[in-house]
Amino acid sequence: MNKALLLVVVLATMVITAACANEGGSAEGSEGKNDEAVKLGFQVYGLRGEYATNLTNAMEAKAEELGVELVVMDGNYDVSTAISQLTNLETQQVDAIIVNPIDEEALNNTVNQIVENGTPVLGVNAFLTAEKLTTFVGSPDVIAGEEETKQMVEALNGKGNVVMLEGPIGQTGQVGRRKGIDNILAENPDIKLLAEQTANWSRAEALSTMENWIQTYGDDIDGVIAQNDEMAIGAINALNAQGMNDIPVVGVDGVKDALQAVKEGTMIATVFQNAQEQGETVIELAIKAAKGEEIDQKYEIPFELVTKENVDEYLE
């Protein structure tokens, strides 16, 4: 084959190859990465509670379904650990980071810097006030606090003494639910708040705190408002140990033990928070953010009140 003919063959091959690539499209698509190439990071404040575990499981299942890699880091309820893990995920060059923060402000500088460096950061379940946060997926905690407190007011016929178990002070779940609780208590001045203390979303801490309150206040306690179900169950265990089975207790999240307690009547209500929908939604949005697609700044998933009348729907 002479040189002229060889040149014609090479040029023709290049043209055909380019045409095929244009026709079939890039393996990564018009936005850059395809789903299989996306690597996501998830920094969760702690995995001792059922709700955080349910949320993480939903995220992992969705990531597997969509064929993306998800690196999960458990912050063990410690701010400094969370900051270190966020920095670690950035160093791993993940394409987007999802954070479930222990505090609404403590991670702001770290998150803002990561976003400035080019990695999108999405909040899930617990809000973060970082101004550069890419988006947030969660539920309106003020409404949850209002709903559970309305149930308590109704159970006590508008009069009585209550104690309140709070989440980690400064986390948006605690801040929002406390505001909602206070809103309803302000409208019902005959409901008195005897005591309030954080139990850090923990069943064990709530049990210990409730035991102390029983020793201090005894029969003066007419009801228990817990800002999540883990703490509500801890309080119920302490009350049952003292034969105080008729004290109404409310919580938030709709975890399995709480739903069963509502069915059995040991808990008057819970406010269901949809971990599966939050988890699936934030994974889908993280993939879009990683690929440079535009997303909204907030995605809100409603809470749902669960009482004995409708609890079977949630136990199915």
Side-chain angles (χ1 to χ4, degrees):
M1 183 181 293
N2 61 39
K3 291 184 178 179
L5 180 57
L6 178 60
L7 180 59
V8 170
V9 171
V10 171
L11 290 173
T13 301
M14 293 173 62
V15 170
I16 292 170
T17 301
C20 290
N22 287 334
E23 181 178 351
S26 166
E28 294 184 347
S30 60
E31 297 295 337
K33 289 180 176 290
N34 62 10
D35 287 358
E36 289 76 12
V38 171
K39 181 179 180 180
L40 306 176
F42 178 40
Q43 197 285 312
V44 55
Y45 65 77
L47 287 172
R48 290 198 297 267
E50 183 179 334
Y51 185 84
T53 301
N54 291 345
L55 175 68
T56 304
N57 290 343
M59 292 170 62
E60 289 178 329
K62 192 65 176 178
E64 182 178 359
E65 174 192 333
L66 298 177
V68 304
E69 182 179 355
L70 179 65
V71 179
V72 177
M73 292 190 171
D74 179 358
N76 200 29
Y77 305 86
D78 180 72
V79 169
S80 60
T81 300
I83 292 172
S84 175
Q85 289 176 342
L86 287 169
T87 304
N88 186 317
L89 288 170
E90 183 185 23
T91 301
Q92 291 188 41
Q93 296 183 330
V94 297
D95 299 297
I97 296 173
I98 303 165
V99 59
N100 177 218
I102 187 64
D103 185 277
E104 66 178 355
E105 296 181 350
L107 308 182
N108 284 359
N109 290 339
T110 304
V111 167
N112 286 336
Q113 187 61 57
I114 290 172
V115 176
E116 286 178 2
N117 292 344
T119 303
V121 179
L122 301 81
V124 65
N125 175 247
F127 188 63
L128 194 69
T129 56
E131 61 181 12
K132 296 186 182 298
L133 187 71
T134 306
T135 190
F136 171 70
V137 178
S139 303
D141 286 301
V142 174
I143 292 176
E146 290 177 342
E147 287 298 323
E148 65 170 339
T149 310
K150 288 176 183 177
Q151 295 301 305
M152 182 59 66
V153 171
E154 183 177 335
L156 297 180
N157 294 314
K159 187 174 182 179
N161 301 315
V162 298
V163 292
M164 177 171 58
L165 292 159
E166 299 201 78
I169 303 302
Q171 192 187 39
T172 52
Q174 178 270 326
V175 173
R177 293 173 199 179
R178 177 60 192 261
K179 182 176 180 180
I181 291 166
D182 287 344
N183 288 346
I184 302 305
L185 291 181
E187 297 172 359
N188 295 274
D190 289 332
I191 302 287
K192 307 295 184 182
L193 185 60
L194 277 181
E196 59 197 276
Q197 185 173 318
T198 181
N200 294 304
W201 304 137
S202 166
R203 187 178 303 198
E205 286 190 42
L207 186 150
S208 177
T209 300
M210 194 71 222
E211 288 175 338
N212 292 335
W213 283 342
I214 291 171
Q215 290 181 358
T216 303
Y217 300 106
D219 292 338
D220 288 338
I221 300 172
D222 298 311
V224 180
I225 299 173
Q227 291 181 358
N228 84 335
D229 286 339
E230 292 288 342
M231 297 187 298
I233 296 299
I236 289 170
N237 291 340
L239 290 166
N240 288 347
Q242 298 299 320
M244 302 171 70
N245 303 328
D246 58 342
I247 302 295
V249 179
V250 292
V252 177
D253 282 340
V255 301
K256 185 176 180 180
D257 284 352
L259 295 173
Q260 192 61 41
V262 171
K263 184 176 178 64
E264 294 170 356
T266 55
M267 193 168 166
I268 62 171
T270 182
V271 188
F272 177 73
Q273 184 172 202
N274 198 324
Q276 182 171 345
E277 189 170 350
Q278 285 187 11
E280 291 179 350
T281 300
V282 79
I283 289 293
E284 292 170 347
L285 292 172
I287 292 171
K288 290 183 177 181
K291 294 163 69 174
E293 298 178 17
E294 187 174 340
I295 57 178
D296 293 337
Q297 289 187 322
K298 187 175 183 181
Y299 293 80
E300 191 168 274
I301 297 167
F303 279 102
E304 303 167 35
L305 178 64
V306 182
T307 64
K308 200 164 187 175
E309 285 68 35
N310 66 345
V311 67
D312 286 338
E313 300 172 19
Y314 294 84
L315 282 168
E316 293 176 353

